[in-house]
Amino acid sequence: MQVTISSEPNLQKIDHLFVLVAEKRRPDDESVEALVTRAGFTGRADESITLLTEEPRKTTLIGVGKGEDLSIRTLRAALYSVGKVAKKHRDRRIAVQIPYTLAGADAEETTRFAASVLAQADYKYDAYLTVKKDEKVLPIEATIVAPEGLGRKELRAVESDAAALAAAIRTVRDLGNAPSNLMTPTRLAERAAEVAKEVGVKATVYGRKEIERMKMGGLLAVNRGSNEEPRFIVLEYAPRRAKKHVALVGKGITFDSGGISIKPAEKMEEMKFDMCGAAAVIGIIEAAARLELPVKITGAIPSTDNLPSGSAYKPGDIITMMNGKTVEIVNTDAEGRMILADALHFASRTKPDHLIDFATLTGACVVALGNEATGLFTSDDELARKLIECGDRVGDRLWRLPLWDEYKELIRSEWADMKNSGGRWGGAISAAVFLKEFVDCPSWAHLDIAGTAYAERETPREVRGATAAGVRVTVDFLQSLSR
Ligand code: BES
Ligand code: MN
Ligand code: ZN
């Protein structure tokens, strides 16, 4: 939905007002107080009630629980309910009153966050639902009631920042949710170039011949089983006043069947999400450009699908990578690291101050952290600290796992410089250790988003499907570089 912020929304023009209500601290508003009392509303986090009122006709109270301040998860859940209720009621214009601030944040920050979340609250990937097409619900226009003390100029800035981030997150979710028969490497590259053009970012797309010329052995090996051409996408955002240069790499496996080491049928359809790292990179750069952040950013995205065929790469094969190192394939399902290796080498050559990669890399990371945290791997303690702090602030959380050299033992090969899989134990770590062999940048971080990039089912905070994990934390990190 489209979100504006206004200190005095015209209630006559609004179909439905939503008010967040905490258990202990009631909103400081007489008419709301009267409704709360009349309805016997307690404010518990799972409580909500829609009441008939005068102006506007409907008011919905949404409970946000006990806390003195709002937590990010509570606010997200509350705003997601707003979206759901508004959709059900076919509301066209709604207003949302948030009389609290996030813990550790001021009213301005809370409003900025709320606006970007609310913009996504009615999101649904419905591009291919033909049944409900004719009764397609019209877009909802939402107004957040502005907190006191913010001037017009500040409000407009908050509004446009939130819209920039929300647009980028939408791009990421649409890319991630698209099925792999349509979101091929070729299409992904086209979309990347389209988005780049829209926000004034340079895009270069390399095809098979150029990828061969660059000797990207990992990307070519994985692509051998496919009928789709591989793509290597480079995005360059270079604002004039840039102080720092950050390179971003994203895993762009448009479908991961496992290849010859084929995956079981159950949930294999979820492997259309295996390009969510790539989508995150595109979205982060889109956001940075829209926000005009003074940071130079290079994005590098290797893309192919991973399929079995007569020409597919096989266990036992030895592959020479772009940086000259050799890899013995023991499992063709460990394909992400093969394509990322070349991209990390490519990105290292651009000599960035920081290098960050995003990948739905391992099931082992999901076993370790579930769906609440992205796995963070880095040897740079300062970078770890900053990224974790940014993630906590914006509710896109990271949890650090080790990257010790001892784990290198797991990927030792007798026939080549290393194997592409270290087996099950510590699988997320051995994958990260593998990637490290291809990085030449002292400040590198690897984000394993396998458990966070998509929601397998609806949660109290979001719909099923791509979540854009990694985007908020990285945009906040990029902003912190220029603060
Ligand atoms: N794309 C998968 C990882 C994945 C699993 C993402 C579940 C999201 C949910 C990756 O390419 C993969 O298959 N990894 C293997 C590595 C193993 C063969 C060493 C895995 O995790 O099983
Ligand atoms: Mn795989
Ligand atoms: Zn994969």
Side-chain angles (χ1 to χ4, degrees):
M1 60 180 88
Q2 200 205 313
V3 179
T4 51
I5 304 168
S6 162
S7 21
E8 267 168 41
N10 184 350
L11 291 178
Q12 277 175 325
K13 287 194 175 158
I14 277 161
D15 306 320
H16 201 156
L17 171 69
F18 294 80
V19 186
L20 273 50
V21 179
E23 275 182 58
K24 291 208 180 104
R25 271 196 317 129
R26 301 279 183 77
D28 184 17
D29 180 314
E30 268 174 47
S31 55
V32 172
E33 178 64 39
L35 289 177
V36 168
T37 312
R38 191 141 60 91
F41 194 78
T42 67
R44 279 197 316 267
D46 58 353
E47 197 182 6
S48 81
I49 188 168
T50 304
L51 303 155
L52 286 172
T53 43
E54 294 286 317
E55 209 166 70
R57 283 183 300 117
K58 292 172 287 184
T59 300
T60 292
L61 307 177
I62 306 241
V64 292
K66 281 206 184 68
E68 269 297 292
D69 293 312
L70 286 173
S71 70
I72 284 190
R73 56 179 292 134
T74 316
L75 181 54
R76 282 183 53 190
L79 296 174
Y80 184 53
S81 320
V82 169
K84 278 176 91 166
V85 174
K87 254 181 153 176
K88 227 180 253 169
H89 284 248
R90 301 276 195 279
D91 295 325
R92 288 298 318 284
R93 292 194 181 83
I94 65 169
V96 183
Q97 207 172 312
I98 307 168
Y100 311 101
T101 54
L102 284 166
D106 59 16
E108 179 177 345
E109 245 180 283
T110 303
T111 308
R112 179 181 285 116
F113 182 78
S116 74
V117 172
L118 187 61
Q120 293 286 307
D122 63 340
Y123 177 84
K124 182 169 161 58
Y125 185 70
D126 57 6
Y128 299 99
L129 290 177
T130 63
V131 243
K132 285 192 169 170
K133 268 272 151 69
D134 40 334
E135 53 163 299
K136 199 148 200 176
V137 248
L138 293 158
I140 302 170
E141 287 170 27
T143 303
I144 293 183
V145 183
E148 275 166 39
L150 285 190
R152 264 188 83 82
K153 235 175 115 190
E154 287 154 312
L155 288 183
R156 290 294 83 84
V158 169
E159 198 175 279
S160 76
D161 283 4
L165 186 56
I169 289 176
R170 189 188 176 86
T171 301
V172 178
R173 294 178 113 178
D174 282 347
L175 287 171
N177 287 328
S180 76
N181 60 322
L182 305 176
M183 194 47 66
T184 59
T186 305
R187 182 72 192 128
L188 181 65
E190 279 171 13
R191 282 297 299 139
E194 282 167 17
V195 171
K197 195 169 176 203
E198 215 180 298
V199 296
V201 163
K202 183 178 168 200
T204 313
V205 176
Y206 300 99
R208 176 178 285 133
K209 280 229 176 68
E210 291 137 318
I211 294 168
E212 280 169 357
R213 226 173 288 136
M214 292 191 281
K215 298 193 164 64
M216 294 187 162
L219 178 55
L220 290 166
V222 177
N223 182 250
R224 279 205 356 232
S226 177
N227 292 334
E228 292 288 336
E229 273 218 20
R231 287 289 182 267
F232 189 77
I233 308 160
V234 179
L235 301 176
E236 288 163 278
Y237 168 61
R240 233 171 281 130
R241 334 161 263 136
K243 285 185 219 119
K244 288 271 161 60
H245 175 203
V246 176
L248 307 173
V249 169
K251 173 177 173 181
I253 294 288
T254 54
F255 185 73
D256 182 13
S257 72
I260 297 293
S261 316
I262 199 161
K263 288 180 183 294
E266 200 180 326
K267 288 199 194 170
M268 204 204 265
E269 70 276 12
E270 289 183 0
M271 285 301 120
K272 70 170 184 177
F273 292 115
D274 217 15
M275 35 59 73
C276 281
V281 169
I282 295 167
I284 292 162
I285 293 175
E286 177 182 351
R290 288 191 189 278
L291 293 167
E292 298 179 32
L293 300 186
V295 183
K296 178 180 168 185
I297 308 173
T298 306
I301 296 168
S303 183
T304 174
D305 45 17
N306 183 25
L307 291 170
S309 84
S311 57
Y313 82 136
K314 305 172 295 298
D317 288 1
I318 292 179
I319 308 297
T320 301
M321 311 291 278
M322 187 186 191
N323 75 345
K325 291 192 183 180
T326 57
V327 176
E328 178 196 354
I329 304 305
V330 293
N331 192 324
T332 63
D333 199 9
E335 85 297 339
R337 63 199 76 180
M338 294 297 290
I339 69 166
L340 288 168
D342 289 335
L344 287 166
H345 176 68
F346 178 96
S348 296
R349 280 186 173 174
T350 68
K351 296 276 165 242
D353 296 299
H354 306 285
L355 171 54
I356 308 176
D357 76 74
F358 306 81
T360 45
L361 201 61
T362 66
C365 190
V366 193
V367 172
L369 301 174
N371 310 115
E372 298 302 331
T374 291
L376 167 66
F377 302 82
T378 179
S379 309
D380 181 343
D381 293 341
E382 183 59 14
L383 181 63
R385 193 185 61 71
K386 279 195 191 147
L387 285 171
I388 290 169
E389 190 186 299
C390 293
D392 288 346
R393 179 161 51 232
V394 297
D396 188 3
R397 288 189 289 190
L398 311 180
W399 197 262
R400 193 178 184 184
L401 292 167
L403 189 64
W404 300 322
D405 278 337
E406 284 80 350
Y407 289 98
K408 254 166 90 173
E409 189 59 31
L410 292 171
I411 52 165
R412 204 175 56 164
S413 162
E414 287 199 45
W415 318 104
D417 296 340
M418 68 199 95
K419 306 191 283 193
N420 79 326
S421 163
R424 282 173 58 122
W425 310 139
I429 305 170
S430 55
V433 165
F434 178 96
L435 296 180
K436 195 177 176 197
E437 293 297 307
F438 300 88
V439 173
D440 183 11
C441 172
S443 186
W444 162 64
H446 158 56
L447 271 57
D448 193 333
I449 55 173
T452 48
Y454 61 94
E456 289 173 73
R457 58 189 87 83
E458 189 188 21
T459 72
R461 276 159 286 159
E462 62 200 347
V463 277
R464 190 177 170 205
T467 62
V471 174
R472 285 181 188 275
V473 55
T474 308
V475 171
D476 197 61
F477 171 71
L478 294 169
Q479 277 167 330
S480 78
L481 288 179
S482 47
R483 268 201 283 265

